[in-house]
Amino acid sequence: MKAKLLPLLFFLITLPAVSQKALPQAQRLQWWQHDRFGMFIHWGPATLTGKEISWSRVGTGKSRYDSLYRRFNPVKFNPKEWVRLAKAGGLKYVVLTAKHHDGFCLWNTQTTDYNIMSSPFGRDVCKELADAVHEAGLQLGWYFSPGDWKDPDCRNPEAEKNKAFENRMQQQLRELLSNYGKISLLWIDYDGWPCPTNPKNVYDMAHRLQPGIILNNRLEAFNPDESHSQPGRYGDYVTPEGFVAGYGSVPWETCTNMGHQWAWRFEDKPRSAKEVVHTLLRCVGGNGNLLLNVGPDSLGQIPPLFASRLEEVGDWIKPRAEAIYGTKGGPYTPAQEYVCTQKGNRIFLHLLAGTENEVMLPALPATIKKATLLNGKTVQFSQTKGQLRLVVPTRDSIATLIELTLDRPASQLAPILPFSKTGSLAYAQKSTASSVVGEFLHGAGSTVDDNKATYWKLGRRSDVNFEANYGKPLYYRTKEAKAMFDQTGWLEVDLGKPQSVGQLVINEFQRKNNPELYSQINRFSVQYQKGNDWVTIATGQQIGDEWRQAIQPVRAQRFRLVIQESEGSIGVSEFQLFPPNNQTGR
């Protein structure tokens, strides 16, 4: 059935009998924050080429790519086997790419012929997977791209054409959220352009149709850093992609690959069980989730190497499940060598690196009543005001789990940061900024965490009407899009008390392997507060990977980095202050 001829009757039939209000956010997120580990499935006709889904469309040739579905016949598709492997791997929810950016629909949609029913396979993949997931007692989610690179009406400068596309896109969502039972999660993707419809329309409709549903945060995004760092008005959690975020109080989920691209590719090999487990533990220890992608091949099978790797991961997790599912991250925040989870009056230390028997951690502001390994063997410990010493009798080849039983609920303890590796006076101190793209990962605190992978990024300009740009063909890498964000601003660090500072180190976040994302700070200064005035103590033109300077020592409590001129989409990863003649800061 052609979209233009879609009868009004169909819209009426697929509307729910009763529209309901969304459940409270905390209630909707409860299952997701308990389960922690989900399976992402990127799949479609692109697997016939072994290239990336959607992103290979131009390189493959649009006409050739758009015709792949005519020979897409995954005769070995067995959704129960996918679900069996998910459960075997310890994954608790499943998210399928119902529609990726290429516009191909894996269900029996009435909005376009570009769907699975028009392929030689001719079966509703979404229905069969939904039935299998529900039968197995897992949670089901759809990945859905509001954009459609095949549809010429999508973000068409002619408003009426884009409106026609919006109607088709919203009808697709109605189908997905009305015809497949309970849908627990809607994973909206951002394809580099603003959402082709106002985000509120999608958000409201999703909750009318599925009151308990949760949504990720990509409806509002105008660049990837926004999707990584802020839930926004129409999202429940943030979505760092391809990397583990760190520690956050906002709900977050890393999505990454078990292999080396989102869709299946020829001769791909899965990452080691150790790498997968460490990724999961770093997510859970950071109070987040992991959505691990597995790409089935063009016949519909999860490749044998990936299947066996899932089972290997699940075998490792099973005896340690209590320290992963239903936990929160902390109180120890993630370090390179360890992460920590908590449940009741117990904390679980997961040692990820090192072979030594003696482990030193910052002190716990609680009494430790017992310390044991997974097998119940006692772990000797001693604690002073400044540190906790653990003697680990044996190490696991992947990660060593130590359970500490405390005299109080672990949730009563404030986050405990790792020992500083640099000795910066600014480490973990209170920091603020003139604007931020998002508080998580890219807030002011990202510059005082001894972690160059996180960075402060200036936020949206207050004089730009972002709402007016939904539906526009405005790519985030263009100068026009970058100019919608602040190019000047300040970052302030409060040391808590006056301290003597004689050395400054600033790191600018570098995207060395992607010239299209070029950005640069061109002029800046460093100041300290003296009374009610800010006094400049250093100036520079470019920061680059690292800028450092010794200064005439000053004693002050508050210091500022002032960005006076920049271009592109800058990020400052570290703003470090050291005492005079400090060796670490050199």
Side-chain angles (χ1 to χ4, degrees), residues 13-32:
I13 291 173
T14 57
L15 286 173
V18 179
S19 294
Q20 303 178 60
K21 292 184 178 180
L23 298 175
Q25 185 185 59
Q27 184 178 340
R28 289 186 285 113
L29 282 168
Q30 190 172 11
W31 71 265
W32 179 81

Side-chain angles (χ1 to χ4, degrees), residues 328-560:
K328 294 183 178 180
Y332 286 109
T333 61
Q336 182 179 354
E337 303 84 4
Y338 62 83
V339 297
C340 181
T341 56
Q342 60 173 281
K343 182 183 292 184
N345 67 335
R346 293 175 296 163
I347 68 172
F348 305 96
L349 285 169
H350 307 265
L351 305 181
L352 307 180
T355 58
E356 64 280 355
N357 291 335
E358 188 173 89
V359 177
M360 296 292 188
L361 300 168
L364 266 172
T367 298
I368 300 173
K369 299 174 69 175
K370 185 172 66 171
T372 62
L373 291 176
L374 175 69
N375 60 11
K377 190 170 184 178
T378 298
V379 173
Q380 295 181 4
F381 64 91
S382 60
Q383 184 163 220
T384 65
K385 185 177 180 180
Q387 65 184 20
L388 167 64
R389 174 179 173 269
L390 298 167
V391 180
V392 188
T394 58
R395 288 269 193 165
D396 183 81
S397 61
I398 292 182
T400 303
L401 174 62
I402 299 175
E403 179 181 330
L404 303 180
T405 303
L406 309 181
D407 65 340
R408 69 195 69 178
S411 59
Q412 294 179 0
L413 307 180
I416 304 169
L417 279 72
F419 293 123
S420 174
K421 294 185 180 299
T422 63
S424 169
L425 298 173
Y427 178 67
Q429 297 293 346
K430 181 181 178 182
S431 53
T432 54
S434 55
S435 70
V436 296
V437 76
E439 290 293 345
F440 181 60
L441 286 180
H442 302 317
S446 299
T447 65
V448 293
D449 60 359
D450 277 2
N451 182 2
K452 291 185 180 180
T454 63
Y455 52 94
W456 164 55
K457 185 169 179 177
L458 289 160
R460 296 181 175 190
R461 284 172 44 185
S462 60
D463 60 342
V464 172
N465 182 1
F466 282 79
E467 293 289 322
N469 285 282
Y470 289 117
K472 301 289 181 64
L474 183 65
Y475 194 49
Y476 81 97
R477 293 181 181 178
T478 62
K479 290 183 177 180
E480 182 184 3
K482 292 177 181 179
M484 297 168 67
F485 291 80
D486 288 330
Q487 300 294 304
T488 62
W490 52 262
L491 168 76
E492 181 180 324
V493 176
D494 186 333
L495 300 183
K497 62 181 180 180
Q499 300 203 55
S500 182
V501 172
Q503 295 186 67
L504 312 172
V505 178
I506 307 171
N507 302 101
E508 186 174 359
F509 184 74
Q510 299 291 297
R511 294 182 174 91
K512 297 177 181 178
N513 298 323
N514 200 333
E516 290 185 335
L517 295 179
Y518 168 82
S519 63
Q520 181 174 283
I521 294 171
N522 292 325
R523 189 162 56 91
F524 67 95
S525 64
V526 179
Q527 303 173 340
Y528 75 96
Q529 189 176 34
K530 184 177 181 181
N532 293 324
D533 299 323
W534 287 93
V535 180
T536 298
I537 51 177
T539 60
Q541 292 186 324
Q542 293 182 357
I543 292 175
D545 185 49
E546 182 172 280
W547 176 92
R548 58 176 59 230
Q549 185 168 317
I551 61 170
Q552 185 69 30
V554 297
R555 188 171 182 82
Q557 180 172 328
R558 293 182 176 87
F559 291 80
R560 271 188 177 183

Side-chain angles (χ1 to χ4, degrees), residues 32-231:
W32 179 81
Q33 291 182 311
H34 175 277
D35 288 355
R36 291 301 186 194
F37 194 19
M39 176 186 276
F40 218 1
I41 302 174
H42 279 65
W43 193 53
T47 54
L48 289 165
T49 68
K51 297 178 181 179
E52 191 60 277
I53 188 170
S54 296
W55 297 99
S56 65
R57 183 170 178 258
V58 173
T60 301
K62 294 179 181 179
S63 177
R64 178 169 176 259
Y65 184 100
D66 294 346
S67 299
L68 290 172
Y69 77 101
R70 293 175 181 167
R71 55 188 181 91
F72 184 53
N73 192 18
V75 293
K76 295 187 177 180
F77 168 63
N78 182 351
K80 290 188 177 182
E81 175 62 9
W82 289 11
V83 173
R84 185 195 71 79
L85 286 171
K87 294 187 72 171
L91 299 113
K92 302 294 187 180
Y93 53 104
V94 176
V95 181
L96 172 70
T97 53
K99 190 193 82 169
H100 208 271
H101 307 319
D102 58 16
F104 186 76
C105 300
L106 285 174
W107 75 98
N108 185 16
T109 180
Q110 302 300 303
T111 63
T112 175
D113 290 334
Y114 192 50
N115 71 73
I116 192 67
M117 306 307 290
S118 300
S119 73
F121 190 58
R123 286 159 50 188
D124 190 328
V125 167
C126 288
K127 182 181 188 308
E128 293 187 30
L129 181 63
D131 290 345
V133 170
H134 291 142
E135 182 182 348
L138 302 185
Q139 303 290 340
L140 176 64
W142 300 133
Y143 164 110
F144 184 84
S145 172
D148 185 332
W149 295 348
K150 183 177 181 295
D151 193 320
D153 290 341
C154 179
R155 304 186 180 100
N156 193 302
E158 295 183 35
E160 290 186 5
K161 290 185 176 180
N162 187 67
K163 186 63 179 177
F165 169 78
E166 288 182 59
N167 291 336
R168 287 194 293 276
M169 181 268 289
Q170 290 172 14
Q171 176 56 20
Q172 290 171 354
L173 268 178
R174 285 190 188 94
E175 294 171 352
L176 285 171
L177 299 179
S178 301
N179 301 335
Y180 300 96
K182 180 182 177 183
I183 307 301
S184 300
L185 187 153
L186 181 59
W187 209 99
I188 295 290
D189 204 1
Y190 168 69
D191 61 349
W193 286 265
C195 184
T197 188
N198 190 294
K200 189 176 186 300
N201 296 337
V202 173
Y203 183 83
D204 288 348
M205 180 174 64
H207 287 102
R208 284 197 305 270
L209 299 173
Q210 297 279 348
I213 201 167
I214 60 173
L215 275 72
N216 70 341
N217 66 330
R218 298 194 175 191
L219 276 169
E220 285 187 272
F222 274 79
N223 63 46
D225 284 333
E226 288 195 322
S227 71
H228 296 164
S229 61
Q230 60 166 323

Side-chain angles (χ1 to χ4, degrees), residues 315-326:
D315 288 343
W316 189 92
I317 290 174
K318 190 173 182 179
R320 302 163 178 85
E322 191 176 18
I324 297 172
Y325 307 113

